[in-house]
Amino acid sequence: MGRKVAFSAKAKKEQLQAKRARKRGGEQQDNPDTTGHDGESAAPNPKTKFELLLHHKKESKAEIMRRIKECEEPLTVLKAKDGLEVTVDELHNDTTRIFLARPPWEKTDTVEALNQREKTALIDYIQQLRDSVDGDESRLCYFERNLETWRQLWRVIEISDVFLYIVDIRFAGQHFSPALYMYLTKKLKKPFILAFNKCDLVPEEHTRAWTDYFREHFPAAHIVAFSNHYPVSSKKKFRNRLGVAKGVDELIRLWKELQLPGGAFWEAQFNEWSHDTGRENSFDGEEDEDDQEEGSADETKEAQGEPEGAQTSNTVTLALLGQTNVGKSTILNSILGKHVVQASSTPGKTKYLQTHYVTPDIVLCDSPGIILPSLVSRAFQVLGGLYRISECREPFSAVNYLASRVNLISELKLQPSKESLDDGGEFFWSAYRICESYAEKKHFVTAKSGRLDVSRAAREMLSFVITGRILLAYVPRGFHSRGKSRVLMDCEEAGG
């Protein structure tokens, strides 16, 4: 055996740098925005671990610093009718109303030709979006640029017969995609069910107002409401327990009204689950293991007791669609009456489509969340759960957006921090000073210098919105001027 060659610290450092360079190269190959338009690559390398990660365009350092500077300015508080009212129309332009459908294909097409056609379609679509905002991409939201995620959505649409589009009722206007709605109802002419999720977090009049709005502007959508009840416990092993979505009975009723097959059997099965005292225990258990793999369609069939190839011409596939972090997996678990897929408050938990049998005639298809293009503020996307807080390069602009609409100072019982009072001059509240105050209250300090950890404070406040501890909820235009009682009365007269 020969003598071992010395491996110095310098050689180890060079080895790690080369490894990181290879990884960065694979990530850039995945992202169609990393090169010029003529030479862009929209398909990820399937051998890299970046294949199904959510991809968004990286912002420049100058843009980040500009936003941080704005957060140090005096806070501007908006009235409810200005800051908390929205319509779907004002969040979209003509281009964002166009859905990127899968390019036409034939069985005789080669894999290479089909892949190139799909790459070109996504690249052209991104360029059209840029042109629609005159090249100023800051006016667009963070939207999906990963071709593999689009392929998952295209596959779900191809195999499904009915679509259950799920939105968070707090952000119904921002989460709804008119482009996908028009494509499914006008072009494919398939049943479209709009599900309002997490309705227990908002007042009843909010749900009624959004129901009235969507029935007026999107009449082809059949509306159901779900509410999630999260078990409260201080024990660590129960901290991430699955929330149970209430509203499956309303979905079954609508299913029978649409005269879709399997409704009677589904209703009988659901009633049996509802009266089973051990049903809630089937949802217990530790969750949120990010590295756990999702089950494939064939594995799911075997787990459900369905033989391979059991799907017949009478089988109806119900697709669960929606943007990230709206509760698709939680609703799927509640429909099935047991825990079968992982649910998490982290966007992008579900990465592959999965099929599960509800009855011999009904198949559920869970899809990965995909962020479709719109004119929604990027700061809002962080608050709406569409962008990971941990990946936010600067959380202060999202805190500024939140503080201008919600009284954080009263909500969190904040007092001016010592650092802000020591600055001299007349004191005023800003987004940055709110973060300083909360960091001082919670004793968040950096490990080395012992300064206030304002970044950690900002991220924790943002997480309160996602979990519902701080209520940020939007309503349709005119809600506050009409009054709550008028909204309830109008909905009751319309049969709401």
Side-chain angles (χ1 to χ4, degrees):
M1 186 174 181
R3 182 180 176 182
K4 292 184 178 180
V5 179
F7 196 71
S8 65
K10 181 179 179 181
K12 181 64 176 177
K13 182 178 179 180
E14 292 175 350
Q15 183 189 59
L16 292 174
Q17 288 175 343
K19 184 178 179 181
R20 294 191 190 102
R22 288 196 301 270
K23 286 185 176 181
R24 284 195 296 268
E27 186 174 13
Q28 289 177 353
Q29 195 175 27
D30 291 349
N31 194 336
D33 252 12
T34 55
T35 58
H37 176 65
D38 295 334
E40 291 187 78
S41 173
N45 182 351
K47 294 183 180 180
T48 68
K49 69 177 183 178
F50 303 101
E51 181 176 354
L52 284 171
L53 295 180
L54 300 178
H55 286 167
H56 309 292
K57 181 160 184 179
K58 188 176 181 179
E59 295 173 300
S60 65
K61 188 174 181 179
E63 175 66 17
I64 298 296
M65 297 306 297
R66 182 190 64 81
R67 294 209 304 258
I68 293 178
K69 194 69 177 176
E70 289 179 353
C71 295
E72 297 175 353
E73 299 296 326
L75 186 66
T76 301
V77 180
L78 300 176
K79 295 182 179 179
K81 64 178 181 179
D82 298 324
L84 294 175
E85 292 186 354
V86 71
T87 62
V88 174
D89 290 339
E90 64 193 61
L91 300 175
H92 295 271
N93 58 24
D94 293 339
T95 306
T96 60
R97 289 178 177 275
I98 300 174
F99 177 70
L100 176 59
R102 186 180 185 184
W105 59 279
E106 301 290 341
K107 291 183 178 180
T108 56
D109 291 338
T110 63
V111 175
E112 293 77 12
L114 182 58
N115 286 343
Q116 186 58 45
R117 199 177 305 151
E118 291 174 347
K119 291 178 191 177
T120 304
L122 179 56
I123 293 170
D124 292 342
Y125 181 64
I126 293 175
Q127 188 60 43
Q128 290 176 14
L129 291 169
R130 288 175 180 150
D131 296 340
S132 69
V133 292
D134 300 324
D136 183 9
E137 289 196 59
S138 62
R139 293 167 55 190
L140 291 170
C141 69
Y142 297 111
F143 62 92
E144 187 56 68
R145 300 166 187 259
N146 188 346
L147 180 56
E148 282 301 319
T149 308
W150 281 97
R151 284 171 174 161
Q152 293 287 314
L153 176 61
W154 293 336
R155 181 57 180 153
V156 170
I157 291 175
E158 286 177 350
I159 66 176
S160 301
D161 306 298
V162 184
F163 298 95
L164 180 65
Y165 191 86
I166 303 169
V167 299
D168 188 330
I169 187 63
R170 296 174 295 173
F171 319 114
Q174 291 91 335
H175 285 174
F176 184 79
S177 172
L180 185 57
Y181 165 83
M182 295 296 292
Y183 179 76
L184 297 177
T185 58
K186 302 297 183 181
K187 187 169 184 178
L188 300 186
K189 300 186 183 300
K190 292 184 178 181
F192 183 92
I193 302 173
L194 178 61
F196 295 145
N197 197 18
K198 306 178 185 180
C199 291
D200 52 314
L201 295 179
V202 299
E204 181 184 359
E205 51 266 20
H206 284 210
T207 305
R208 290 181 175 271
W210 279 118
T211 300
D212 189 36
Y213 173 84
F214 279 100
R215 282 178 177 170
E216 178 182 354
H217 294 87
F218 304 94
H222 306 278
I223 299 174
V224 296
F226 285 85
S227 60
N228 289 351
H229 298 266
Y230 295 94
V232 178
S233 175
S234 59
K235 294 183 180 180
K236 182 178 179 181
K237 70 175 183 177
F238 292 127
R239 191 171 296 166
N240 293 318
R241 283 177 62 181
L242 173 71
V244 182
K246 307 295 183 181
V248 181
D249 53 344
E250 189 176 346
L251 177 61
I252 296 174
R253 176 189 57 77
L254 179 59
W255 190 273
K256 294 176 68 177
E257 287 181 3
L258 297 175
Q259 299 181 352
L260 297 169
F265 188 89
W266 187 6
E267 184 176 32
Q269 184 173 260
F270 174 76
N271 291 334
E272 182 180 348
W273 289 340
S274 300
H275 293 90
D276 185 2
T277 56
R279 180 191 175 200
E280 186 173 350
N281 295 331
S282 65
F283 290 92
D284 293 351
E286 297 182 27
E287 299 184 33
D288 213 12
E289 295 293 336
D290 292 337
D291 295 332
Q292 181 169 339
E293 295 183 359
E294 310 282 1
S296 66
D298 292 337
E299 291 172 349
T300 304
K301 291 180 182 179
E302 293 175 4
Q304 298 286 340
E306 292 291 339
E308 191 172 342
Q311 189 165 333
T312 65
S313 58
N314 295 327
T315 302
V316 177
T317 301
L318 173 63
L320 273 65
L321 303 178
Q323 303 204 47
T324 59
N325 207 22
V326 295
K328 297 186 296 298
S329 297
T330 301
I331 289 180
L332 184 144
N333 287 327
S334 299
I335 291 175
L336 294 175
K338 55 185 176 182
H339 174 243
V340 292
V341 294
Q342 293 291 314
S344 172
S345 60
T346 303
K349 179 65 178 176
T350 304
K351 295 181 174 63
Y352 298 90
L353 69 89
Q354 305 168 75
T355 56
H356 305 270
Y357 276 86
V358 182
T359 72
D361 297 325
I362 303 174
V363 180
L364 283 183
C365 185
D366 189 20
S367 67
I370 182 169
I371 302 177
L372 299 173
S374 70
L375 303 181
V376 170
S377 165
R378 295 185 176 186
F380 162 78
Q381 285 190 288
V382 179
L383 294 165
L386 303 180
Y387 191 85
R388 297 189 183 194
I389 296 176
S390 60
E391 295 180 3
C392 184
R393 298 181 68 189
E394 61 84 19
F396 308 112
S397 58
V399 173
N400 190 28
Y401 184 95
L402 174 63
S404 64
R405 291 160 173 81
V406 177
N407 190 348
L408 292 179
I409 302 165
S410 173
E411 194 81 24
L412 300 174
K413 300 178 180 179
L414 301 179
Q415 298 294 332
S417 65
K418 294 180 181 179
E419 288 190 9
S420 60
L421 293 176
D422 293 341
D423 291 342
E426 185 179 355
F427 175 80
F428 59 85
W429 282 107
S430 65
Y432 194 84
R433 287 183 172 178
I434 287 176
C435 297
E436 284 183 334
S437 175
Y438 187 74
E440 186 176 84
K441 178 180 179 180
K442 302 291 288 188
H443 306 288
F444 291 160
V445 293
T446 57
K448 291 185 178 180
S449 61
R451 295 180 179 179
L452 293 177
D453 194 344
V454 290
S455 180
R456 179 183 174 187
R459 296 177 197 279
E460 182 164 298
M461 285 189 286
L462 297 179
S463 69
F464 290 161
V465 178
I466 295 177
T467 58
R469 178 175 170 181
I470 294 178
L471 179 60
L472 175 68
Y474 287 80
V475 290
R477 288 286 179 196
F479 176 86
H480 293 95
S481 60
R482 294 168 62 194
K484 298 179 181 180
S485 59
R486 183 68 249 177
V487 171
L488 289 170
M489 190 181 303
D490 290 347
C491 291
E492 289 172 358
E493 291 175 357

